[in-house]
Amino acid sequence: MAYYFPEPSRTFNEYLLVPSYSSAECMPSNVSLKTPIVKYKKGETPAITANIPMTSAIMQSVSGDRMAVALALEGGISFIYGSQTIESEAAMVRRVKNYKAGFVTSDSNIRPDQTLEDVIALKEEKGHSTIAVTDDGTANGKLLGIVTGRDYRVSRMTPDTKVSEFMTPFEKLIYAEEGVSLKEANDIIWDHKLNSLPIITKDQRLSALVFRKDYDEKKEHPNSLLDDQKRYIVGAGINTRDFAERVPALVDAGVDVLCIDSSEGFTEWQKITIQWIRDHYGDDVKVGAGNVVDRDGFMFLAEAGADFVKVGIGGGSICITREQKGIGRGQASALIEVAAARDEYYEKTGIYVPVCSDGGIVFDYHMTLALAMGADFLMLGRYFARFDESPTRRLNLNGTYVKEYWGEGSSRARNWQRYDMGGAAKLKFEEGVDSYVPYAGKLSDNLQISLDKIKATMCNCGALTIPELQQKARLTLVSATSLVEGGAHDVILKDTSTAIK
């Protein structure tokens, strides 16, 4: 007879935190969000600890190299998406590890034979006003000039005006050659009152850009997550098909931590993948596994040697696994059981295997709930997809700016490896959708607000660290009626667009 779980499958929406006593030292400024990313033995220090409990999802529409740098700057980790060629994923990892803080690879580039219309479209897509003009329109082409908002006036020029006619040509640019230090580059920017400084090679090819705004940004991000060589820490996704080729390439590129990207991790395929990594690299290469939703799944992956275990099936905003296959579990129920299994495993073995909560986050307070329920860190897709730093296009949809967002189980991603059950190499049916999310601007601005909310709520619970939150948190189930009570009710909300003056 089939086994029936005694409790309903519950979501974060069904819980609230009940405040606990908080002392005078419980202020957000005193809260630490440091958290282990990989397993460690009792009394030892984890090989990788994040400064904030946030990682970005292993998705084409979320985690590229630009997102990885931006999130590491804030103290978190991006997992570069694995649904691409081995060479291109390794190249993304290498760009992050080779990135010098302050030296930015240009992602807004154009050819001199293109037009003002192309410039406006590129500015609309990328959101940047500084555009490099190179001979081939790439980030490393021969630098021929720069276009900024001061170089053109849309009202006085025709859309077909060639870029070469209004750009600031190379001869009039102030630039520096490769090898210049960041301090020297910033001195040039300040001495010449520039907004940006191109860095070029000896044969005039564009190497990077240094921006005035990044000078202050660097000082504003003391939580940057760096390795022992002062390089940004970055993760990458792998699958259970081509790991023997993909893992060596990613390790060679300098990746810090891997994660098997799968919608369902309670499978021999993951055990085989982890074992191959252990046989070839021992414990030097860190690899997370998942996803699972119960004690048995966690125990299986922990005993297989996973460095962390990812929890969640079907809870992502673009995931339709539950709808298509009828498998999964409410994220709160799954996380509570897996966190208990983690504590049980730690008590039995002395090895702490961190738990990553993946999916089910709708509101910022759900993040704090997930941490209180036992998550060591979170993996977020929709949340990060909204920002400038995600790899997708920014579009104007019926007067509203949006960014594209699609699931790894959608036809657009064609990530059959993520859902592989040992059959043919193709996607038989979709487990994700293609969609849009509201554009939200820069990662740093939005993330700081979310982190402030987490810290404030932790103080309400009398906790200054994540482990302390997990120990002290008191949670209550909520009824449908109390959900209504928790929002604005029994008032007439002002509509600012039609308010009587």
Side-chain angles (χ1 to χ4, degrees):
M1 181 179 174
Y3 175 79
Y4 291 85
F5 284 82
E7 289 292 320
S9 179
R10 299 195 182 278
T11 68
F12 293 135
N13 255 347
E14 297 177 75
Y15 288 91
L16 285 175
L17 284 157
V18 176
S20 297
Y21 170 76
S22 55
S23 67
E25 69 171 339
C26 282
M27 298 184 293
S29 58
N30 291 335
V31 172
S32 169
L33 294 178
K34 287 181 179 293
T35 192
I37 299 297
V38 297
K39 69 182 180 185
Y40 60 94
K41 292 181 180 178
K42 189 173 184 177
E44 295 183 354
T45 302
I48 302 175
T49 298
N51 291 326
I52 62 171
M54 307 282 204
T55 63
S56 65
I58 310 169
M59 301 175 69
Q60 291 176 3
S61 54
V62 179
S63 297
D65 51 299
R66 190 173 170 220
M67 176 63 74
V69 170
L71 188 49
L73 193 66
E74 301 296 331
I77 301 175
S78 275
F79 283 85
I80 303 291
Y81 66 92
S83 51
Q84 58 180 319
T85 66
I86 294 172
E87 294 75 19
S88 59
E89 185 180 14
M92 281 190 176
V93 169
R94 191 169 283 109
R95 282 198 292 273
V96 177
K97 299 307 289 187
N98 290 341
Y99 184 91
K100 296 179 186 176
F103 293 84
V104 180
T105 300
S106 175
D107 70 346
S108 294
N109 309 287
I110 205 164
R111 299 188 313 274
D113 60 336
Q114 289 182 265
T115 64
L116 175 61
E117 185 175 23
D118 296 322
V119 168
I120 295 170
L122 187 59
K123 182 180 178 182
E124 185 84 1
E125 177 188 342
K126 300 291 187 179
H128 302 145
S129 57
T130 299
I131 299 173
V133 184
T134 59
D135 60 346
D136 57 3
T138 69
N140 299 115
K142 184 176 182 180
L143 183 64
L144 302 178
I146 292 285
V147 171
T148 70
R150 293 175 297 183
D151 291 313
Y152 60 87
R153 291 186 67 177
V154 176
S155 61
R156 296 190 179 185
M157 298 166 64
T158 59
D160 60 354
T161 305
K162 299 291 185 186
V163 171
S164 57
E165 296 180 30
F166 60 87
M167 69 181 186
T168 300
F170 180 78
E171 300 77 41
K172 294 185 178 180
L173 292 177
I174 295 172
Y175 57 86
E177 291 192 356
E178 274 189 326
V180 66
S181 70
L182 184 59
K183 182 182 183 306
E184 291 168 338
N186 280 315
D187 286 344
I188 295 172
I189 287 173
W190 288 97
D191 290 345
H192 294 274
K193 300 180 180 179
L194 305 173
N195 288 322
S196 64
L197 178 73
I199 310 298
I200 63 170
T201 63
K202 292 189 181 297
D203 55 358
Q204 202 177 311
R205 303 189 76 81
L206 181 61
S207 173
L209 294 170
V210 177
F211 291 93
R212 174 189 288 260
K213 62 180 177 62
D214 289 341
Y215 176 81
D216 293 327
E217 188 175 77
K218 186 173 183 289
K219 290 185 175 296
E220 292 170 1
H221 295 84
N223 276 336
S224 295
L225 194 59
L226 307 172
D227 64 18
D228 54 8
Q229 298 178 51
K230 304 300 183 184
R231 302 175 302 175
Y232 290 124
I233 285 180
V234 61
I238 61 173
N239 61 71
T240 56
R241 277 276 184 168
D242 63 10
F243 55 85
E245 296 79 34
R246 191 174 293 267
V247 171
L250 294 172
V251 171
D252 184 63
V255 74
D256 296 283
V257 57
L258 302 170
C259 183
I260 302 173
D261 182 31
S262 174
S263 65
E264 207 282 287
F266 195 177
T267 163
E268 187 177 7
W269 298 108
Q270 297 221 358
K271 183 177 181 180
I272 291 170
T273 304
I274 296 169
Q275 189 58 52
W276 186 92
I277 292 172
R278 295 292 173 248
D279 289 344
H280 289 78
Y281 297 98
D283 291 326
D284 292 340
V285 171
K286 307 302 180 183
V287 57
N291 286 18
V292 298
V293 292
D294 64 358
R295 175 188 180 279
D296 292 346
F298 172 86
M299 290 297 185
F300 173 80
L301 291 177
E303 290 166 1
D307 284 293
F308 66 84
V309 173
K310 202 143 64 79
V311 180
I313 295 177
S317 61
I318 41 66
C319 183
I320 54 174
T321 294
R322 298 178 193 174
E323 179 183 309
Q324 291 281 53
K325 295 167 65 177
I327 67 167
R329 197 176 188 188
Q331 189 66 9
S333 296
L335 182 56
I336 291 168
E337 181 170 331
V338 171
R342 178 217 35 223
D343 295 344
E344 177 189 340
Y345 187 80
Y346 180 56
E347 186 71 25
K348 181 174 67 174
T349 66
I351 299 173
Y352 189 91
V353 181
V355 166
C356 170
S357 180
D358 178 18
I361 302 294
V362 180
F363 305 108
D364 281 359
Y365 81 88
H366 289 170
M367 299 179 190
T368 319
L369 279 172
L371 296 171
M373 289 175 180
D376 295 283
F377 61 98
L378 316 175
M379 182 169 279
L380 304 164
R382 180 192 60 84
Y383 180 85
F384 287 115
R386 304 171 300 146
F387 303 145
D388 284 325
E389 293 83 358
S390 70
T392 62
R393 295 182 298 169
R394 185 181 70 164
L395 306 172
N396 189 320
L397 189 67
N398 299 323
T400 301
Y401 282 111
V402 297
K403 293 209 76 177
E404 298 172 298
Y405 182 44
W406 59 91
E408 288 299 290
S410 66
S411 289
R412 181 169 185 175
R414 302 197 63 78
N415 186 9
W416 61 268
Q417 296 99 328
R418 189 174 200 266
Y419 300 88
D420 180 46
M421 298 293 285
K426 62 182 179 180
L427 196 65
K428 296 181 178 68
F429 57 88
E430 291 186 278
E431 292 187 44
V433 299
D434 198 344
S435 63
Y436 302 106
V437 289
Y439 168 67
K442 287 179 62 177
L443 178 147
S444 57
D445 295 339
N446 291 272
L447 183 60
Q448 192 54 55
I449 294 172
S450 298
L451 295 175
D452 287 345
K453 290 180 183 178
I454 292 172
K455 290 179 178 180
T457 306
M458 287 174 62
C459 287
N460 293 143
C461 297
L464 294 177
T465 66
I466 292 172
E468 191 178 8
L469 173 67
Q470 293 165 353
Q471 181 183 20
K472 292 184 174 180
R474 299 188 299 156
L475 295 104
T476 180
L477 281 166
V478 296
S479 67
T481 306
S482 67
L483 281 174
V484 175
E485 180 186 64
H489 61 91
D490 299 316
V491 294
I492 300 172
L493 294 177
K494 291 182 180 179
D495 183 348
T496 54
S497 62
T498 59
I500 299 174
K501 305 295 185 190

